[in-house]
């Protein structure tokens, strides 16, 4: 899928989690619901850091371009060294390592640890990265007409304000993980979810997605999971733009209203 659809699906997924948490008696304070949806929308773009033309690879200028080159080489090395006889030969790392459940868990866990150990500045940094990505994904038309500096300034301002809101008592810095020292441990959850939602979205497209790596399926370790080929679509096709994106909007709205107790 394309960036806007990925971001919308990420936001909708976190709002759905908010609805489920409310039903389970662990309701999210509204800042956790809102910030989590934005983080998840941004994280849903992150797996494409292995592709130089992707939104995330251009979002932070030379820094993200440099990271893209590293991730692409790392992904290709992982593919080359773990492929089975049924896996085709390839020349790049797109849709390999960063499109797996292991990558999602490791990245989310890493950000959680950084948030807990790094204090406020780490939290602001995590929010900044994901706010910029959320802007690029959800407001992509406006972002493309603006300069990168304006997007970064908006992301930085949003990150600073949201971190201040979350820091206030009762606003959710200790949501779900309530023991002393576990503040912001939950920040990794929308990052994991965003990465996994991205993978599921890509699995619906023609190429499929090797979400289950390194678990082998038949003669392949990088098996491209997806529905029957007749049910798949090309990225950017009318199915994505005219069907899936409106569905994500409706599901996100329903999830958000349920999470806030507006509808039961």
């Amino acid at each position: 899928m394309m960036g806007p659809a990925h971001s919308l699906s990420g936001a909708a997924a976190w709002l759905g989690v908010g609805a489920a948490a409310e039903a389970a008696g662990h309701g999210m304070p509204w800042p956790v619901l809102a910030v989590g949806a934005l983080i998840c929308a941004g994280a849903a773009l992150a797996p494409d850091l292995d592709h130089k033309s992707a939104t995330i690879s251009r979002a932070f200028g030379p820094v993200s371009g440099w990271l893209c080159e590293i991730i692409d080489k790392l992904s290709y090395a992982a593919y080359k060294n773990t492929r089975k006889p049924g896996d085709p030969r390839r020349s790049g790392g797109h849709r390999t390592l960063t499109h797996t459940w292991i990558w999602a868990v490791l990245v989310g866990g890493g950000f959680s640890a950084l948030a807990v150990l790094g204090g406020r500045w780490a939290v602001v940094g995590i929010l900044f990265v994901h706010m910029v990505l959320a802007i690029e994904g959800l407001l992509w038309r406006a972002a493309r007409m603006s300069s990168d500096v304006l997007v970064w300034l908006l992301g930085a301002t949003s990150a600073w304000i949201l971190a201040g809101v979350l820091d206030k008592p009762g606003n959710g810095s200790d949501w779900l993980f309530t023991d002393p020292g576990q503040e912001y441990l939950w920040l990794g959850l929308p990052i994991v979810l965003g990465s996994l939602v991205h993978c599921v979205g890509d699995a619906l497209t023609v190429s499929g997605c090797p979400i289950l790596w390194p678990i082998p399926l038949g003669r392949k370790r990088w098996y491209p999971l997806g529905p029957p080929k007749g049910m798949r679509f090309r990225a950017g096709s009318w199915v994505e733009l005219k069907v899936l994106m409106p569905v994500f909007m409706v599901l996100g709205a329903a999830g958000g209203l349920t999470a806030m107790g507006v509808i039961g």
Side-chain angles (χ1 to χ4, degrees), residues 51-170:
H51 193 291
K52 65 181 181 180
S53 297
T55 299
I56 186 174
S57 299
R58 297 178 283 103
F60 299 96
V63 174
S64 52
W66 174 70
L67 281 174
C68 173
E69 292 183 11
I70 294 175
I71 295 300
D72 179 53
K73 288 180 172 61
L74 175 65
S75 298
Y76 177 65
Y79 182 88
K80 184 178 178 181
N81 290 306
T82 63
R83 62 183 289 268
K84 293 188 69 177
D87 292 309
R89 294 185 180 276
R90 57 186 304 158
S91 59
H94 182 48
R95 281 205 189 183
T96 54
L97 183 60
T98 61
H99 288 65
T100 65
W101 69 273
I102 282 186
W103 180 270
V105 171
L106 289 176
V107 170
F111 274 115
S112 279
L114 180 61
V116 171
L117 299 175
R120 177 178 172 81
W121 283 108
V123 172
V124 171
I126 293 169
L127 291 176
F128 167 70
V129 169
H130 290 89
M131 291 308 106
V132 169
L133 293 177
I135 293 166
E136 292 279 3
L138 297 175
L139 303 176
W140 64 279
R141 290 186 187 276
R144 288 187 180 181
M145 292 188 295
S146 302
S147 69
D148 287 342
V149 174
L150 288 177
V151 174
W152 298 340
L153 286 174
L154 180 57
T157 303
S158 301
W160 186 263
I161 292 172
L162 291 172
V165 171
L166 287 171
D167 273 343
K168 293 180 180 179

